[in-house]
Amino acid sequence: MDTFERLREICLSLPEAVEKPFGDHTAPSFRVRDKLFVMTFEDELSITFKAAPGVQEALIAENPERFYRPPYVGAKGWVGARLDVDQDWDELAELIEDSYSLIAPKRLSAQLDHRSASER
């Protein structure tokens, strides 16, 4: 499975998630109720996602080869993840789910919490 197919599978498995380009860009972005939770880039080398306070700094400090502070949205807590390096896809899936939970309405986030609890 190629990188973007893997990413697409993770994102679209979340309740009511849809794929839709951002603005005039052609790269896919993933949204819930028309709010972005993952953005991709045309070069297919990286993504950005929303993170809770302090997570961006921790990820970048721990592994600056994989994570970075993206321009424009980095100041708002979004994190960049490079896809052209070895990624821990389980960790990235958790980070994407966290981004979704920060963006999605509480009712949808609760469905995700319930789904995670039933998988344990």
Side-chain angles (χ1 to χ4, degrees):
M1 178 182 304
D2 80 356
T3 301
F4 262 69
E5 283 305 312
R6 189 178 229 171
L7 176 67
R8 183 175 282 122
E9 183 178 284
I10 292 166
C11 292
L12 294 179
S13 72
L14 302 170
E16 295 187 26
V18 296
E19 181 178 332
K20 181 179 175 184
F22 174 70
D24 293 334
H25 301 274
T26 58
S29 293
F30 298 91
R31 303 166 183 255
V32 58
R33 301 270 173 100
D34 213 31
K35 294 181 181 178
L36 292 164
F37 68 93
V38 171
M39 292 187 296
T40 67
F41 296 91
E42 274 84 1
D43 63 10
E44 298 187 359
L45 298 179
S46 62
I47 64 169
T48 59
F49 54 88
K50 182 133 178 98
V55 172
Q56 178 196 72
E57 295 82 5
L59 289 171
I60 294 168
E62 180 182 310
N63 199 330
E65 294 79 33
R66 289 177 49 213
F67 300 105
Y68 65 96
R69 182 181 171 150
Y72 310 110
V73 295
K76 296 177 181 167
W78 285 66
V79 179
R82 292 180 180 87
L83 300 177
D84 59 341
V85 298
D86 285 338
Q87 270 298 339
D88 177 340
W89 282 95
D90 291 334
E91 178 185 33
L92 196 56
E94 287 178 28
L95 292 166
I96 289 169
E97 287 180 8
D98 290 346
S99 177
Y100 173 91
S101 293
L102 291 166
I103 302 295
K106 290 179 183 178
R107 181 183 62 81
L108 294 178
S109 290
Q111 289 179 22
L112 186 60
D113 292 341
H114 177 69
R115 182 175 80 172
S116 296
S118 66
E119 291 173 357
R120 290 183 204 143

